[in-house]
Every structure is written in structure tokens, then in C-alpha cells.
Amino acid sequence: GESVGLHLPTLSVQEGDNSIINCAYSNSASDYFIWYKQESGKGPQFIIDIRSNMDKRQGQRVTVLLNKTVKHLSLQIAATQPGDSAVYFCAENEDSNSGYALNFGKGTSLLVTP
Amino acid sequence: NAGVMQNPRHLVRRRGQEARLRCSPMKGHSHVYWYRQLPEEGLKFMVYLQKENIIDESGMPKERFSAEFPKEGPSILRIQQVVRGDSAAYFCASSRGQGRNSPLHFGNGTRLTVT
């Protein structure tokens, strides 16, 4: 889930296991959600997005689940690899006219161990 | 196919100096956005520009910060009279269009340190 403290929540998984990263949002008007991956020293990289008229969307090795009732979003990564180690951010937007104004969460650090 | 290019990668300024951050969008992209990331925080939207126009600056601090995207050359984020609280990573993103069907592509950022 999202951290309110100074340190990022960290998820440690073994290589080959599945990872689940969670995100809670508070804005009921949000209708568009994106997951980004940020490696150390780099900018955020788009992973997958989902609109509020869907509750599940799949990509390559990733699945995003959206539960609008409890305002919860999750990112599932199948067969996690060392290259998946990064900080993962969920971002949301409520206004399609300003779809660029994304509100990012504080991130979850994923550490993949061999 | 070069991505979004930002320079410098690292910038150190003393309090009171000016910081100028540059961003060249991806080829074919005419929409540029600046975001700021404080340590262990998510990115915060600052400003959205198209060539020679500021479209949305709702996330920009009211004083000392300005942005431009001239007809020729990169977009510039300018911070005058920097203070310690300006220390952060500043990311530029670009897109081909404005809507949600035009995802943002981020650069690798400029890390500003104010001493």
C-alpha cells in the first residue's frame, strides 16, 4: 500500500515468484490509472494503464486489477526477474481534458533476490 | 530513436543562484511537461507547454519558477534565487498529443542540489 512515512514500503521477492504491488487512492473522481516503473537514476517508464470502466487488464507478464469500490489498484508481475527490481508508482487522473496531470503515489520498492 | 533528453543530469547551485534545466522532447512530440520529485516521493505535475505557449501551469510555484518552450530549441525550466527546498529531481516528459491515448514519455531527469 502507499506509505505515509519517510521510507518507501519495500517488497522483497525471490526470482521466479509472482509479485503483487498495491496502491490505494482516495479520489472517487479518478477514472484513469497508470503503473510506472522507475529504476535508480532514471525516469518513470510506463508499464500498463487501466480506465475505470474496466476491472482488469493484462500485458506482458503484468496484470493490473482495479477495485473502485474500495479504491484499490494492484499490479501483479508474473515470474519476477532481477530486472524487475525498481520502484513502482501508481498514478491517477480524473480529468480527461488534462490527462497529463498525473497524481503519483509515493511508490513501492521491489527487490528481487536470486 | 532518441528518447526525451534532459541536461544537465546533475546540477549543484548555491542558495540564491539561478538554475536552468533543459529538455528536448522525443522526435515528433510537441507537448512537453515538467514534473518534480522530492526524495522518496512521487512525481508532482508542474507545467504543460506546447511550442511558444504555456497551456497549464497549475502546479508551478507562484514565485521564482518559470518555464518556456521556444519555437526553436529545448524547453527550459528556470528557477531563480534557489533555496534548499528546491533540491529535487526534475523530470521532463513529452507526448505526441494531449489526450490519454498519448502516453507521457519521461526523460532521466535533472537532479538539482542546492547547497
Side-chain angles (χ1 to χ4, degrees):
Chain A
E2 298 290 11
S3 170
V4 294
L6 292 177
H7 300 288
L8 291 175
T10 300
L11 175 65
S12 184
V13 299
Q14 280 204 308
E15 182 178 356
D17 287 351
N18 297 333
S19 303
I20 299 177
I21 301 171
N22 296 304
C23 176
Y25 64 95
S26 58
N27 187 355
S28 301
S30 296
D31 64 350
Y32 179 57
F33 305 87
I34 310 174
W35 280 100
Y36 281 92
K37 172 186 179 183
Q38 186 176 26
E39 295 174 275
S40 180
K42 294 189 176 181
Q45 178 185 359
F46 174 91
I47 301 173
I48 192 168
D49 60 359
I50 188 168
R51 297 174 196 263
S52 60
N53 60 351
M54 304 173 69
D55 52 22
K56 180 179 179 179
R57 191 164 188 224
Q58 288 185 291
Q60 188 176 10
R61 277 203 310 120
V62 296
T63 301
V64 55
L65 299 177
L66 174 62
N67 185 330
K68 295 178 289 293
T69 303
V70 296
K71 300 192 191 70
H72 184 268
L73 193 68
S74 69
L75 177 71
Q76 300 178 3
I77 305 174
T80 315
Q81 302 168 359
D84 295 327
S85 293
V87 177
Y88 289 80
F89 293 94
C90 63
E92 52 88 9
N93 173 261
E94 66 174 86
D95 181 2
S96 60
N97 291 323
S98 58
Y100 49 83
L102 301 172
N103 297 312
F104 281 76
K106 291 182 179 173
T108 295
S109 178
L110 175 66
L111 177 63
V112 182
T113 56
Chain B
N1 185 18
V4 176
M5 303 301 292
Q6 290 188 248
N7 68 83
R9 287 299 308 274
H10 300 274
L11 183 60
V12 179
R13 285 287 179 266
R14 291 199 184 100
R15 276 180 297 172
Q17 291 185 318
E18 178 180 288
R20 293 172 71 89
L21 288 63
R22 295 175 189 78
C23 169
S24 295
M26 282 181 68
K27 187 176 180 181
H29 287 193
S30 58
H31 303 255
V32 166
Y33 317 87
W34 286 93
Y35 277 75
R36 176 165 64 175
Q37 184 178 33
L38 295 171
E40 296 192 342
E41 296 274 336
L43 280 72
K44 304 293 184 190
F45 168 76
M46 298 179 75
V47 62
Y48 161 36
L49 310 104
Q50 294 181 27
K51 284 287 186 182
E52 300 185 279
N53 286 306
I54 296 175
I55 308 301
D56 181 351
E57 57 181 347
S58 58
M60 285 280 268
K62 294 290 186 282
E63 296 177 346
R64 301 187 298 107
F65 284 71
S66 62
E68 63 177 9
F69 189 17
K71 187 177 181 181
E72 301 290 338
S75 175
I76 306 286
L77 179 67
R78 183 181 177 209
I79 311 173
Q80 294 178 290
Q81 298 173 349
V82 296
V83 301
R84 289 241 171 93
D86 297 333
S87 295
Y90 292 82
F91 290 95
C92 173
S94 71
S95 66
R96 188 176 299 275
Q98 179 187 335
R100 289 172 173 171
N101 291 326
S102 294
L104 273 58
H105 296 262
F106 284 88
N108 286 332
T110 292
R111 279 143 188 87
L112 173 66
T113 302
V114 179
T115 61

